[in-house]
Every structure is written in C-alpha cells, then in structure tokens.
Amino acid sequence: MSGAVNGTGKTNGVHSASTNGHQHPEDLKIAIIGQSNFAAEVLEVLLEREHMVVGVFTIADKGSREDVLATTARQHRIPVFKFPAWRRKGVPIPEVLEQYRSVGANLNVLPFCSQFIPMEVIDGASFGSICYHPSLLPLHRGASAISWTLINGDERAGFSIFWADDGLDTGPVLLQKQCPVYGDDTLDSLYKRFLYPEGVTSMAEAVDMIAAGTAPKIPQTEIGASYDPALFREENQYVNLNQSAVAVFNFIRGLDSVPGALAIVETESGTEVPVRLFGASLCARRSFANAKQIQFKGTTEPAYVCKEGIFITGTDGRLVKVKRLKRGNKVIQASQWFEQANAKPAAPLELTEKELESDAILRGIWKAILKVEIEPETDFFACGAGSMDVVRLVEEVKDTLEVPISNETLFMAPTYGEFMQEVVLRLRSGNDSVGVGANIGYDFRHVVLKANRREIVVPTQMFVGGRFVDAEGGKTLPIVNPTTEQPICEVAAASKGDVDEAVKSADEAFKTVWTNVSARERGQMMFRLAELMEQHKEELATIESIDSGAVYTLALKTHVGMSIDAWRYYAGWADKIEGTTIPVSPARPNHVLTFTKREPIGVCALITPWNYPLMMLSWKMAACIAAGNTVVIKPAQVCPMTALKFAELTVRAGFPPGVINVVTGTGSLAGQALADHPLVRKLGFTGSTPIGKRIMASCAESNIKKCSMELGGKSPLVIFADCDLEKAVRLGMSAVFFNKGENCIAAGRLFVEDRVHDEFVRKVVKGIRTMKIGDPLDRATAHGPQNHLAHLQKLQEYCTVGVKEGATLVCGGKRVPHLKGLFFEPTVFTDVEDHMYIAQEESFGPIMVISKFHSSDFEALVARANNTEYGLASGVFTKDIQKALLFAEKVEAGTVFINTYNKTDVAAPFGGFKQSGFGKDLGKEALNEYLKTKCVTVEY
C-alpha cells in the first residue's frame, strides 16, 4: 500500500524525451524502474502482451529480503539491477549509469518509483519515460496524492500516466482515468478498488499506445494545480481536531491504513501519549451517559470512549467515531483505551516441551518471511513486511500448527513474543490439562464439582460480552442437587439491567465483529466447539446428572451426544444458506433480475427448559449461530450449570465476545425482560403452553418480534393387537419413562386395543419392577430423581386427581419411600376415560395413562387421539401398513412414530401443531426460524 502512496515518478529535473525518427515503435526495448507488487504486476502484464523488457531496476535488498519486482523479473530471466541510489551528492553515479545503459532500453516505464532518477537516464531512452501517478494531474502533485484526494474531500479520484519532464509530476499527460470517491472510501479501499487494478492495466495500455505510435502528450495546465506536503514526514501526519467533523474524518481516512493519523492523548497524570487513529466514520449525535471522557491535546471539544469506540466532537458539534488506535507498535480497539492503558503486561508463558516445538516452527516461519534473526521484540511490520507477508504468515500458521488465527491477530500482536503467546494460548484451547480460566484471559467465580471420579470447574456468574460477570447487586439463586436435595452452589440472578447489557452486547457484536466472520469461518468455529464438547463430554454429562438429575448414561448418549451432533450438523449448514433467482414478468422492453437473499435476523433470545438443559440449548442455538445471528440465552432457573460450562467452551473455541451470552435467573424477571426487549428480533422458547402464551403477547407488544414455540404435549400412542407386543411394551415404557418422564414428546396417553390390554399392562408392571431407581451417576441406574421439588409435588397432586376421578392406579403414584432425593415411582393408570383430567393434561413425569379401544371403529380412535389441544408427537404400533399410514395421515401431530418411539435425529425437523406451538427445531427447516428473506429486483 505504501508503494502507491509514495510512488510519484520523481525525476529531479528531467524533461520529456522526443521520439527518434530512425526507430519504429514496434522496436520497443523497455526498462522497468521501480518496486513493489504494483511494478511486478505491470511487468507481468507487459510480458503477457509480448513487449520486450530488457532490464529491471529496483531498490537494494532490505537485509536478505529482495523486492518482489526483482523476484518476478528473475523468474522470467530478465536482468535485474539493484541500486541503493542513482545519485551521490546530487550527481549521477557513473557505474549506475553504465549498468543502465548496458541493457539498451529505449523506453523507461516507472510504474512505482520512490527513488530520484537522474535526467541522464530519462534522456537515455529515445522513446521517453512514462510515470504512473495516483491523482488526476495537475491536482495533488507530490508523493501523497491519494491521501490528499481524501483529505481535501474530492468527489473524484483517479490516476495519470504522464511523460517525465524537468518538474515534479508536471510532464505532459499520456492518459488519465477516474472514479468516484464514496463516503466510506479510505486510502486502502481506493487503492484496492481502482487505483491498483486499473493502474496496472492502464500502464500496459500506455505502452501499447507508444508501440502503435498513438500516444498523446497533453500539456498540463497550471489551473487547479497543487503540490501537497509529503505525508511520510511525521510532522505532516498530525490531525487538526479544531475543525469540522467532516474535515477530521477526511484526514483520518486519508491516512488509513498507512501511516495513520497522529494525535496526542493527555492522560489524567499529565502524560502525553501519541496515538494513531484508524477506522473513522461520521456519526449522528448520541447519548454518552455511560461513556468515559478522554482528552486530546490541542482541542477543547469533548471526546468520549464507549463500547462503539472513541467519539471526537468537531467544531460544528458533529461526531467522528474512531474504531481502532495504534499505541506504540500495537493496534487496539479504541473502546478498550482505558482497559489497555491500565493493563499490566502479560507474564511470559511457561512452555511445555510440545509448545517449545511449536515455538521453533513458528520462529522458522517468521524467519523465512522476514529474512532476519527472530527475537521476542522482533516487529513484523518494522522489518518491512507487507500485506502479502501477512497473508502468508497467517496461512502458514494455520496449515502447520492448525491454530485458528486471522490478520487481526497479527495486527494486535505485531512482535514475535506477543504473537507467539497468542498462538500458544489458542493451541491450548483444546487441552484438557488447562487450568481454571486459562485461555479466557480473566478469572471467574466458580464451583468445583467433585463427582464421578472427577473435579469439574463450573462458572457461577453470567456470561456477557465474552466475560463472566456478577449480576447487578450481586444477586444470586440457589441451585440444588435433586439426588441429595443439598445445595450445589449459588449462581447469578440477572436483573432487567443485566439482560439489557447482554442484549446490547449481542447487538454490538452482530453489527461489528460477527459480520466480519465469513459463513465458512463461522462453521469452522462451530466444528471447533463441537470438538471441545466431545473432549469434555464426560464432564458435561456429569454436570447434567448433578444439576438436573439425568441418568449419567442417558446424559452421555442423549443430553450431550445429541448436543454435539447438533453443533456438527449446523456447522455444515453455515456456508450453504442460499437465496434463489425468480423469473418475473417485466414490462417490455425492460429486463429484470429478481433474486432473494437469506439473511440473519439479528439478536435472538432463547429461553430453554429444565428437562434437557444442554440439548435444548444446542438444538436452538446451533441453528441460530449457523444462520449468522448473535444470541442471549436464559437457561432454566433450576439447572443452568451446563449452559455456563458451555459458555466457557465457546471462548476456547474462539467465538468473539458478545456473539453468545448467557443470563441466569428467573423466568418472570430475566425471561420476561428478553421477551420485552426492543433489540431482540427473534425469540425461541421451549416450555409450558401458558407461559408460551404470555411470551407471545410480550413479543407482539414489544416490537412484533418473530417467535417460535415448542410447548406442552399430550402425545397419543396407539397399540394395535396385531403388533409385536414385546417391542410395543419395551418402547411403550420408554415412550413414558424415558428421562424420568421429563420429556416433551413423552407418550401422554396410551390407547391399547382391548384384546391385548391386560397382557400389555402385566408386562409393563413386570418391567417396572426390574428398573433400578437411584443415584443417576450409578451406571446401573435406569430411573433418576425428578428435576426439582415443586415438580415432584405436582406429580403427587396429579396422581391424587387421577384416583379421585376414578382411574385405576395399578402401581406407583407416590414418592419412593426410604430413599433420599426427589425420586418418584414409575406409575401406571388404567381405566382412564377421555373426560378425566389425567387424560387431558400433561404430567411431564413417569406416569403411564392407559385407555382401551376396540378396533372396529378406526375413525373414532383417531378422533380420541386428536381430542386434545396439543399436537406435538404421536405413535402407532401395528403390522398393518395401511392402518399405520392412515393414522400418520389423520393424526394432528408434528411428529409421528410408527413401530418405534423417541427416535429423533438432528437432521429431522421437530415441532408441534395446535397449542403445542409452531416453528421447528432441528433439520434444515430450523434455519428458517433464524433467517429473514430479502427480495432484490434489478432493472437493466
């Protein structure tokens, strides 16, 4: 980039060369004088057009690094000459002139040249010398033309190719091209969008014109001519903050990204700190209630530091936002000024033997690129590295060490010591031996669970903006182990203000850092997270058992196993979300292209239940993140611990701060605050139907936010006499007692054909007697404790009502006697009539509700199955394929199981009808819940 800024074809008093009448244009022998990628590409294009290049003249090597122009020329076997200078004390160096003349050039092409070229060289080319200049001459003559185009607020930018004469950029113009300057253009964007690519092509066009004898020489007018100060001199790089916001903005963007506009920050202690400003934009006035004031030298106008960056006030009262600062040799986010100013240098890492090997590999990569000995203080950019070197370093580190880094990693840690520490920390992210808080960059409050032959560290604070933080006022909630009924710990109880901070953090991440992560990179992060969950699956399953009462073996296979599957499945979808093109009928003779884009919604809130804490989080969040949204999740009040451990793993996986936030607390306060928040654009909820209705009302009243609901169920399971009865008993029991009955698709009512009813009941009761009830961490346990005391009491009341209404209690119906903990006996009711409470309402517990039916009236059976306001799942056991498919056709349920039950898969959509809710989890369809469709129509 710096090459285009400083390269102006300075010739120190040369005049335009006249064409020798004894030569023909087709006999061109070209000398290229210059440096940089720009000059190298000009060389490549000239060779492609079969022009003869007889020599390349470039700068001397920097240490052992040669300029890319020299490397490119040698690849084409073109003579290369490297001169530290062409003159000594203003006089051409004889041996330099001799080497130049040795190639016999008759046209000098200067695509980028930062050296002073003697007029003897220019005069030595009979066809003359042409120079590239990045401005519309005569405007902005001098070395910093691109910058001054922006600083002066020009509406047009461009470049000129001119014939060298005895002035500085004053020779006749051969050709010019121009482009508009957009409001968000920087020096970088102008160069990459137009000046570089068009400049390379136009240099070749100019040579073609000379070869054809059609190249004009248009004298420059002095009207509008300017010669602007060189911005490679530090004294010219200071931004004047005592001017309008537009002028401040233009100056900063004119020096972005090299070398950066200079300003001086005056600290409270009186210290003056030079900084360079990058990433400027003009902003509308806003409140600075939570901002900190910062003082820049030489201005009385206020400046503020807040989450979005530093806001500088112009003399007209308008604001300039600055996103990044460079202090010393390190770039930091402007919003982190005060944190960085007070931060202590990180202690050097103690490297393991394997990490020392990685250090050696990394040191070798740096040395191969920079061609210097590498020390901890070696600065990548101070050694002359350019943009392509950055790309090479990042890609080689990814390939050889398999560590996720980006260009920004190097910008934030430009010295070898800093960069090496960043790489090592990221390498450790998947290491089970890492201690509390390692790789996260901060300590957090935690509890150590000693169970299952493990010691597991679990955070107990909320996770907001990439940090574990206390709730407002330090409020907490007790978490109880349902197996022992003893407290486990206290976790943060979020206030409405805490929820607001989490949502704002997610909103900021969505608008900034997350938009810079490509869909494929997003998928890679999700894959890394799934791998970390796999590495920690035993820990996660243990937490689920202690926190929610899940049987460990089931937690390992389903709670955690299916969670990992969900993250892997949706990681694969991240870069496959596509729109469509639509054939429309435009009015003739116009042509119209209409297409759709599938875009993320923004900040999504998720409220999940207590029966599958990690799985419900993963079912929803994986699709949400794959679609490109940011998220705030409120896990269930009574069992939030796997969500907090999950938050820790997201940091280790490399998710940027603010993308994933976890607020713990009550549904009535924290959950309601999410439903009411105007910045939340989508809410996904799993829970009871009554709460779902209240949340839907809040979504409508707040900002008509999109919502999806997975609510209550009373799923019918029909067992015909012609089925495989042994299988029907085994899977029927699973349909009811799986996960202690705390299962949204549990079979809430069994319809058993009268011919096999009694045998079915006998086999079920016999099976119940073989179920081991007890400690969920015991590998032999089949039935663990209910999730929490209030739910256990609800199940007791449910059974009391069933008996009172006349149903027959075959077994169970009460708390397990002589066993500490929230254990409820597996229960069976028969003789249940359709009008009874237990036939209509969900128990959400281990209670089998059985009704008889006669096979003579299939339609009546289906009507009984559908006689509920719920429609989540259903099942049928029969060997008659006609009956099975007719049942699947007529039953009002989102999921139908035939000769099986509870067979869900992450690729299969899941969701209910009627008051069981709407929208889907899992499968491709779940992505629709977290995407919006934009239609674009172009007329041409």
Side-chain angles (χ1 to χ4, degrees):
M1 183 64 209
S2 61
V5 177
N6 296 331
T8 60
K10 295 180 180 179
T11 57
N12 192 36
V14 299
H15 59 278
S16 64
S18 60
T19 302
N20 188 323
H22 299 289
Q23 292 179 313
H24 300 284
E26 61 270 18
D27 297 329
L28 290 181
K29 297 178 180 178
I30 300 168
I32 293 183
I33 304 173
Q35 65 201 73
S36 81
N37 287 313
F38 184 82
E41 287 202 32
V42 170
L43 170 61
E44 295 273 14
V45 174
L46 290 178
L47 294 176
E48 287 172 7
R49 298 190 182 200
E50 299 186 349
H51 290 295
M52 181 184 293
V53 179
V54 295
V56 163
F57 300 84
T58 187
I59 59 175
D61 293 351
K62 295 180 179 178
S64 56
R65 285 169 56 85
E66 71 175 3
D67 187 78
V68 65
L69 175 60
T71 304
T72 305
R74 283 193 293 100
Q75 290 170 350
H76 292 282
R77 299 181 180 178
I78 297 170
V80 177
F81 304 87
K82 303 175 184 178
F83 303 143
W86 291 71
R87 303 181 310 164
R88 187 180 295 120
K89 296 182 179 179
V91 178
I93 301 171
E95 54 267 33
V96 170
L97 286 180
E98 183 180 348
Q99 290 184 65
Y100 165 74
R101 288 168 179 158
S102 70
V103 301
N106 56 25
L107 175 66
N108 294 324
V109 174
L110 285 70
F112 168 75
C113 184
S114 61
Q115 296 174 308
F116 284 91
I117 310 302
M119 57 184 166
E120 286 85 353
V121 174
I122 302 301
D123 286 342
S126 57
F127 280 89
S129 299
I130 60 170
C131 304
Y132 171 89
H133 184 78
S135 84
L136 297 172
L137 292 172
L139 191 63
H140 305 311
R141 296 170 179 167
S144 304
I146 306 176
S147 296
W148 286 103
T149 296
L150 290 165
I151 292 169
N152 285 3
D154 295 354
E155 293 184 357
R156 311 292 298 178
F159 58 82
S160 305
I161 298 173
F162 70 97
W163 301 89
D165 70 356
D166 57 357
L168 289 174
D169 310 326
T170 58
V173 173
L174 192 160
L175 67 81
Q176 290 184 325
K177 291 187 179 179
Q178 59 180 295
C179 68
V181 177
Y182 301 129
D184 59 349
D185 266 327
T186 64
L187 182 148
D188 242 1
S189 67
L190 268 180
Y191 180 62
K192 293 175 181 176
R193 172 166 60 87
F194 184 79
L195 298 176
Y196 187 111
E198 287 294 327
V200 169
T201 303
S202 295
M203 286 297 285
E205 289 176 9
V207 173
D208 289 344
M209 293 168 70
I210 295 169
T214 59
K217 292 184 177 180
I218 305 168
Q220 290 190 45
T221 176
E222 289 303 309
I223 300 173
S226 66
Y227 184 84
D228 301 299
L231 291 171
F232 55 77
R233 294 191 175 93
E234 187 172 290
E235 63 268 22
N236 295 328
Q237 296 167 5
Y238 285 90
V239 57
N240 175 15
L241 298 177
N242 286 316
Q243 52 184 335
S244 69
V246 170
V248 173
F249 162 69
N250 282 336
F251 192 90
I252 295 172
R253 69 172 175 153
L255 277 72
D256 193 336
S257 60
V258 174
L262 266 172
I264 302 292
V265 175
E266 295 179 331
T267 67
E268 292 181 0
S269 63
T271 306
E272 294 187 354
V273 182
V275 296
R276 294 188 180 273
L277 312 179
F278 302 96
S281 58
L282 287 170
C283 294
R285 180 166 289 281
R286 47 153 288 166
S287 169
F288 294 105
N290 298 318
K292 294 182 180 179
Q293 195 158 340
I294 184 173
Q295 183 61 50
F296 286 98
K297 185 178 180 179
T299 178
T300 57
E301 300 294 339
Y304 302 94
V305 179
C306 55
K307 285 183 178 180
E308 293 84 1
I310 292 179
F311 287 80
I312 298 169
T313 309
T315 53
D316 55 357
R318 296 181 67 192
L319 297 170
V320 179
K321 180 173 73 175
V322 174
K323 290 186 178 179
R324 297 180 300 281
L325 298 177
K326 187 174 184 181
R327 181 177 182 177
N329 66 348
K330 188 170 184 179
V331 178
I332 64 172
Q333 297 296 328
S335 59
Q336 297 176 354
W337 169 258
F338 288 106
E339 291 86 344
Q340 292 286 336
N342 298 323
K344 296 178 181 179
L349 294 175
E350 292 290 333
L351 301 185
T352 65
E353 185 175 338
K354 187 174 181 180
E355 288 167 350
L356 286 170
E357 294 175 6
S358 298
D359 177 31
I361 294 170
L362 189 60
R363 198 176 291 268
I365 295 172
W366 275 58
K367 185 174 182 179
I369 295 173
L370 299 180
K371 306 291 195 300
V372 298
E373 292 301 317
I374 306 301
E375 303 295 338
E377 62 274 10
T378 301
D379 188 299
F380 194 78
F381 299 104
C383 290
S387 58
M388 290 308 297
D389 296 312
V390 174
V391 174
R392 176 183 168 184
L393 174 66
V394 169
E395 292 307 310
E396 287 197 29
V397 171
K398 284 180 179 178
D399 290 342
T400 57
L401 297 179
E402 297 182 354
V403 60
I405 63 168
S406 63
N407 294 6
E408 186 129 321
T409 307
L410 181 61
F411 295 143
M412 297 295 186
T415 67
Y416 178 76
E418 294 171 325
F419 186 79
M420 184 271 292
Q421 291 216 120
E422 282 293 319
V423 170
V424 170
L425 288 174
R426 290 168 192 250
L427 281 170
R428 289 182 179 179
S429 65
N431 190 337
D432 282 336
S433 65
V434 175
V436 178
N439 307 324
I440 299 180
Y442 43 80
D443 295 325
F444 50 77
R445 297 186 198 279
H446 61 274
V447 62
V448 179
L449 302 181
K450 297 180 180 181
N452 208 16
R453 300 184 300 280
R454 297 174 179 275
E455 291 189 4
I456 306 168
V457 174
V458 184
T460 57
Q461 297 168 290
M462 299 182 303
F463 185 67
V464 176
R467 298 179 63 84
F468 286 104
V469 295
D470 288 328
E472 192 174 30
K475 292 184 178 179
T476 60
L477 287 170
I479 303 300
V480 174
N481 183 337
T483 303
T484 64
E485 298 185 74
Q486 296 300 309
I488 302 171
C489 62
E490 300 269 333
V491 300
S495 68
K496 185 177 180 180
D498 292 324
V499 170
D500 183 58
E501 284 299 311
V503 172
K504 287 179 178 176
S505 176
D507 185 57
E508 175 66 15
F510 179 74
K511 293 175 180 176
T512 55
V513 63
W514 201 224
T515 61
N516 296 324
V517 176
S518 71
R520 191 156 298 168
E521 290 172 326
R522 193 163 65 236
Q524 289 167 351
M525 282 185 199
M526 295 174 70
F527 276 123
R528 286 200 297 273
L529 177 59
E531 287 303 308
L532 285 167
M533 292 170 73
E534 183 81 46
Q535 292 168 22
H536 293 267
K537 63 183 179 182
E538 289 85 2
E539 291 183 7
L540 293 167
T542 303
I543 298 169
E544 291 274 88
S545 293
I546 294 171
D547 196 23
S548 72
V551 171
Y552 176 76
T553 52
L554 175 63
L556 198 61
K557 179 181 181 293
T558 302
H559 290 230
V560 179
M562 201 170 183
S563 297
I564 295 168
D565 288 347
W567 284 99
R568 286 181 175 147
Y569 175 78
Y570 285 108
W573 269 113
D575 62 353
K576 300 171 188 67
I577 297 170
E578 302 170 341
T580 58
T581 54
I582 303 169
V584 296
S585 300
R588 300 296 181 187
N590 296 332
H591 298 273
V592 169
L593 169 66
T594 296
F595 61 93
T596 61
K597 296 177 66 181
R598 303 284 280 150
E599 297 181 347
I601 293 172
V603 179
C604 297
L606 305 177
I607 301 175
T608 51
W610 42 259
N611 57 331
Y612 294 102
L614 184 63
M615 195 172 80
M616 290 294 98
L617 174 154
S618 298
W619 279 22
K620 295 182 186 299
M621 194 187 295
C624 177
I625 293 295
N629 301 284
T630 56
V631 65
V632 181
I633 185 169
K634 194 208 82 65
Q637 172 182 337
V638 291
C639 48
M641 296 183 71
T642 41
L644 294 171
K645 187 65 177 179
F646 169 85
E648 179 188 335
L649 297 181
T650 67
V651 178
R652 298 174 186 269
F655 280 85
V659 173
I660 295 172
N661 304 270
V662 181
V663 291
T664 50
T666 65
S668 59
L669 187 58
Q672 187 65 48
L674 285 171
D676 291 338
H677 205 290
L679 291 179
V680 173
R681 294 296 173 185
K682 161 67 200 283
L683 191 144
F685 174 75
T686 295
S688 72
T689 298
I691 299 299
K693 291 178 179 179
R694 284 162 52 187
I695 287 176
M696 279 190 67
S698 298
C699 288
E701 291 169 2
S702 57
N703 58 350
I704 316 185
K705 58 174 61 71
K706 185 177 182 180
C707 58
S708 54
M709 299 278 157
E710 199 250 282
L711 307 175
K714 191 65 176 175
S715 300
L717 174 58
V718 177
I719 297 172
F720 284 98
D722 64 355
C723 72
D724 179 339
L725 192 61
E726 293 296 328
K727 182 179 181 181
V729 169
R730 175 168 50 84
L731 293 180
M733 290 180 65
S734 174
V736 176
F737 303 131
F738 187 84
N739 200 47
K740 312 162 289 176
E742 296 169 356
N743 188 23
C744 53
I745 59 170
R749 188 176 179 191
L750 275 66
F751 295 92
V752 182
E753 190 173 341
D754 51 9
R755 287 190 295 156
V756 295
H757 175 273
D758 294 347
E759 186 179 359
F760 179 86
V761 173
R762 281 195 301 273
K763 288 179 178 293
V764 166
V765 173
K766 181 180 178 181
I768 288 174
R769 293 195 187 105
T770 67
M771 291 172 62
K772 181 177 178 180
I773 302 173
D775 182 359
L777 290 173
D778 185 335
R779 304 308 192 261
T781 296
H783 187 78
Q786 304 308 137
N787 185 275
H788 53 280
L789 180 60
H791 181 55
L792 178 75
Q793 292 169 341
K794 175 189 168 186
L795 295 178
Q796 292 172 315
E797 294 170 5
Y798 187 92
C799 291
T800 299
V801 172
V803 171
K804 185 177 180 180
E805 288 191 333
T808 300
L809 179 63
V810 177
C811 64
K814 62 184 183 299
R815 190 167 181 169
V816 176
H818 314 301
L819 186 61
K820 186 178 182 180
L822 306 178
F823 294 94
F824 192 82
E825 293 180 338
T827 300
V828 176
F829 275 103
T830 59
D831 302 317
V832 178
E833 302 294 334
D834 292 356
H835 68 274
M836 292 180 179
Y837 176 81
I838 62 172
Q840 295 292 321
E841 294 300 324
E842 181 180 29
S843 71
F844 213 65
I847 301 174
M848 183 177 285
V849 175
I850 302 175
S851 299
K852 289 182 184 179
F853 74 91
H854 192 277
S855 62
S856 61
D857 194 343
F858 181 84
E859 294 297 329
L861 171 65
V862 173
R864 292 178 71 191
N866 287 335
N867 185 27
T868 172
E869 272 301 301
Y870 299 112
L872 190 55
S874 61
V876 58
F877 280 83
T878 178
K879 293 178 181 178
D880 186 334
I881 190 65
Q882 182 181 27
K883 281 191 294 189
L885 293 180
L886 277 173
F887 178 81
E889 178 184 316
K890 295 180 178 296
V891 72
E892 297 169 347
T895 296
V896 182
F897 299 109
I898 298 177
N899 292 327
T900 188
Y901 208 88
N902 277 334
K903 289 285 185 181
T904 54
D905 187 274
V906 293
F910 180 92
F913 299 163
K914 301 189 289 190
Q915 290 195 43
S916 285
F918 54 88
K920 296 295 182 182
D921 288 325
L922 303 183
K924 180 181 178 180
E925 286 193 38
L927 292 167
N928 297 330
E929 305 301 327
Y930 301 98
L931 291 165
K932 59 189 178 187
T933 300
K934 178 181 289 180
C935 183
V936 181
T937 297
V938 182
E939 187 173 275
Y940 60 98

